[in-house]
Amino acid sequence: MQKNVEIEMKLVIGKKDLKTLLASELFQEVVRNESKGLHHLVSTYYDTGDMVLKKAGIAYRVRDKGDGAFEATVKTAQKSSSGLSQRLELNLPLTEAQPVLEGFGALGLGYELTELAPEGVEPLFTVEVDRTTYILDLPGAVVEMALDQGKITSPRQKKAKDVIAEVELELLEGELAPLLRFVADITTVVPVFVEKRSKFARGLALLGIASDVRPAKVKVDMQANVRQQMLELVQQRGDVLLLLQNELLQTVEPAKVADLQKQLLYLQSYLALGAELAATPQLDVARAVAAEIATLAEKYHTLAELGKIWRKILLRGSDILDNNVLGKKIAQEELAAKKNLQEMAQKGKLSQVVYQAVCWLAVQTWQNEEYLEMASLARCKLKSWQEAAEEADEPKVVLNCLQYVYCLSRTLPGKAYSKIADEAKKSRRKQQELVDTEAMLQLMQDFTHGSNSRILTRDAGVIMGWLWAAK
């Protein structure tokens, strides 16, 4: 019998990239000699017809370990963020692969499953995987790395299945920080993606049942430890960014890019808040890659806005502007911008930002952090950004400062911060218009530089005149 809190990181890494990772110096330096294990696992999940166990926050499975051993497991509702899950796991050895509902009370559940399901349980779905495991000896922790390849099937949906291809890193001994550092290092070697759903949640989805996993909400405590508060905020935004990355792998569209810009701004404001207190290589990487992604998103946004303006002009002067050279150029550049954003997602750049930022906040304590409160640090930083916005001459610098003021003050509780956010919102709208106009004018200059097309030059002149008039 075993009781423990399971702490694991669930990642998705492509087959070719996984081979690269296993051959990398990063992996070879920490893998324990002769620790490789091969397992065929068949896990069947059970519940009652009306899903009473799920309603109680319990996932119950019976596993055939493939070596003559069997085990029943109860997992409670999980706390999950940025691919990291923490939940109570209770394991009960069995003599055969049949559900047993008694024995978990003594393990720490506090009651027996028979109290919830007096008439027994029935199979929901089965997860069958071939698992390759390694033991990793990290500085300060021992981690099991499991590579799972398999499928989820159900007797209730015989034609449906979900393919399993994921990497699990489970903390066996030691501290969480080394695991987070290792994952952050992985993102610099190969593209990493996140599957937030557990196998239980994916099996439920196969049956058309919602898993009831709610996104984490952070309530900022202004008197609490700054680093811990920032860690929760970064993880919250990181969850959204990681899901956005998965969506951008499929398609790039204005609404998703706008959300990407929004979430990046919030994350960047949090990183800027603590940058002066604890500069580390992880922070430098997170900020640099976030800025790189923001630049790609800004160019796509500029091209999309430029396209809207040009189409509006065409509606008014279609007889004169009959050869739409500029429209084709804008469409071509917008397609290239989409491709760049999708390549960014394929390289797992957002994973790199999120895990480097989490590592920066989780791995080491800050000097004198016990005396730092969010209230005092936030007031100081907001004032500094406001003063920088007033003193700056370049619209983009002013806009960046106002963006940070808005995002941070919107995050913090209290009417005073809401007022600051409202004022920043009004000011940043004007600055955004100036920055957008300057970016579009610059694009027009780039389009016509070195071009021999008179029509393109004419069209660029028309739209530049429109932009200057608006400015």
Side-chain angles (χ1 to χ4, degrees):
M1 296 184 182
Q2 184 181 1
K3 172 189 176 181
N4 68 295
V5 175
E6 179 190 55
I7 301 176
E8 69 177 18
M9 186 77 74
K10 194 184 301 290
L11 307 174
V12 177
I13 301 174
K15 286 185 178 180
K16 291 183 179 179
D17 294 321
L18 190 54
K19 289 181 180 178
T20 299
L21 175 61
L22 296 179
S24 69
E25 184 179 348
L26 174 67
F27 176 79
Q28 292 297 326
E29 284 184 346
V30 297
V31 65
R32 185 180 296 177
N33 291 334
E34 299 182 359
S35 67
K36 182 177 180 180
L38 301 175
H39 316 270
H40 183 73
L41 307 177
V42 180
S43 303
T44 301
Y45 287 77
Y46 293 84
D47 208 326
T48 63
D50 56 355
M51 305 297 290
V52 68
L53 299 184
K54 172 183 171 292
K55 292 174 184 177
I58 289 173
Y60 174 75
R61 77 175 183 219
V62 173
R63 170 171 287 175
D64 181 344
K65 295 185 174 183
D67 58 0
F70 308 91
E71 183 178 69
T73 298
V74 163
K75 293 188 180 185
T76 61
Q78 67 177 351
K79 176 183 178 183
S80 178
S81 183
S82 303
L84 176 70
S85 65
Q86 301 183 56
R87 55 194 169 191
L88 184 65
E89 179 182 297
L90 308 172
N91 297 312
L92 184 68
L94 302 177
T95 57
E96 59 179 343
Q98 294 297 324
V100 172
L101 302 183
E102 294 186 338
F104 293 101
L107 288 178
L109 186 61
Y111 56 88
E112 298 296 352
L113 294 183
T114 49
E115 297 178 38
L116 297 176
E119 297 182 6
V121 291
E122 58 188 62
L124 295 175
F125 54 86
T126 296
V127 180
E128 185 173 359
V129 298
D130 289 314
R131 171 171 290 182
T132 304
T133 58
Y134 301 91
I135 300 300
L136 310 182
D137 293 309
L138 306 180
V142 177
V143 169
E144 181 186 69
M145 181 175 181
L147 318 180
D148 284 350
Q149 298 285 333
K151 61 184 178 180
I152 305 176
T153 57
S154 172
R156 299 184 181 184
Q157 297 284 347
K158 293 184 179 180
K159 293 184 179 180
K161 71 175 181 178
D162 191 0
V163 176
I164 300 291
E166 60 191 24
V167 178
E168 290 184 1
L169 294 160
E170 183 176 353
L171 183 64
L172 301 181
E173 299 176 19
E175 301 296 322
L176 175 60
L179 171 58
L180 294 175
R181 183 188 291 276
F182 182 66
V183 173
D185 289 341
I186 289 176
T187 65
T188 66
V189 178
V190 295
V192 171
F193 305 95
V194 169
E195 171 57 75
K196 284 180 62 63
R197 299 174 302 167
S198 65
K199 292 183 178 70
F200 177 64
R202 293 177 66 177
L204 292 178
L206 195 67
L207 300 175
I209 302 172
S211 60
D212 297 333
V213 175
R214 298 285 187 268
K217 291 186 178 180
V218 177
K219 292 184 178 180
V220 178
D221 183 345
M222 298 301 284
Q223 279 70 52
N225 179 279
V226 173
R227 184 175 60 86
Q228 290 299 322
Q229 291 287 293
M230 286 180 60
L231 177 58
E232 292 186 22
L233 290 171
V234 166
Q235 288 177 319
Q236 179 188 38
R237 294 293 167 181
D239 281 345
V240 180
L241 285 168
L242 293 172
L243 290 177
L244 268 173
Q245 179 171 253
N246 290 346
E247 293 175 7
L248 290 170
L249 289 170
Q250 305 303 319
T251 180
V252 176
E253 55 190 37
K256 289 179 183 177
V257 177
D259 197 12
L260 172 64
Q261 289 180 292
K262 172 186 172 182
Q263 301 301 331
L264 271 178
L265 278 171
Y266 273 95
L267 183 62
Q268 287 173 304
S269 74
Y270 303 153
L271 301 185
L273 175 65
E276 296 176 4
L277 296 174
T280 69
Q282 289 82 16
L283 174 62
D284 292 341
V285 171
R287 299 189 75 184
V289 178
E292 175 189 346
I293 298 169
T295 299
L296 293 175
E298 286 165 14
K299 185 169 184 180
Y300 175 84
H301 165 78
T302 301
L303 286 161
E305 291 301 308
L306 193 61
K308 290 179 184 177
I309 292 173
W310 183 239
R311 288 190 291 273
K312 188 183 294 185
I313 293 173
L314 284 177
L315 287 174
R316 297 187 178 187
S318 57
D319 294 338
I320 301 173
L321 306 172
D322 54 346
N323 195 338
N324 190 8
V325 176
L326 180 58
K328 293 177 182 177
K329 180 67 173 177
I330 293 173
Q332 181 183 13
E333 292 295 321
E334 189 174 347
L335 186 62
K338 279 187 176 182
K339 183 178 179 182
N340 289 336
L341 279 169
Q342 204 150 45
E343 287 177 351
M344 171 275 298
Q346 290 167 351
K347 293 177 181 177
K349 289 288 188 177
L350 284 168
S351 298
Q352 196 170 4
V353 172
V354 172
Y355 288 118
Q356 293 290 335
V358 168
C359 182
W360 164 58
L361 290 163
V363 166
Q364 63 188 51
T365 58
W366 293 354
Q367 186 176 5
N368 299 322
E369 71 173 50
E370 64 271 21
Y371 302 110
L372 291 173
E373 291 185 348
M374 179 65 86
S376 57
L377 178 60
R379 283 195 299 267
C380 179
K381 203 61 182 178
L382 286 171
K383 183 179 179 181
S384 173
W385 288 334
Q386 288 169 329
E387 291 174 349
E390 292 173 359
E391 296 173 0
D393 295 323
E394 295 182 24
K396 193 163 187 178
V397 175
V398 176
L399 177 62
N400 285 341
C401 292
L402 292 173
Q403 298 278 33
Y404 285 175
V405 170
Y406 173 77
C407 291
L408 181 59
S409 55
R410 282 284 296 170
T411 300
L412 304 177
K415 293 182 179 180
Y417 293 110
S418 295
K419 184 177 180 181
I420 293 173
D422 290 340
E423 292 172 353
K425 184 177 181 179
K426 294 176 184 177
S427 299
R428 76 170 187 161
R429 185 181 297 118
K430 297 177 182 178
Q431 291 299 320
Q432 186 70 64
E433 291 173 357
L434 287 174
V435 170
D436 286 348
T437 299
E438 287 192 356
M440 285 186 277
L441 287 168
Q442 183 60 53
L443 274 176
M444 288 299 94
Q445 293 178 30
D446 294 342
F447 285 178
T448 56
H449 181 71
S451 173
N452 295 322
S453 173
R454 292 182 179 181
I455 297 176
L456 179 60
T457 303
R458 177 203 67 184
D459 292 349
V462 171
I463 202 168
M464 289 175 78
W466 178 291
L467 293 170
W468 277 111
K471 186 175 180 181

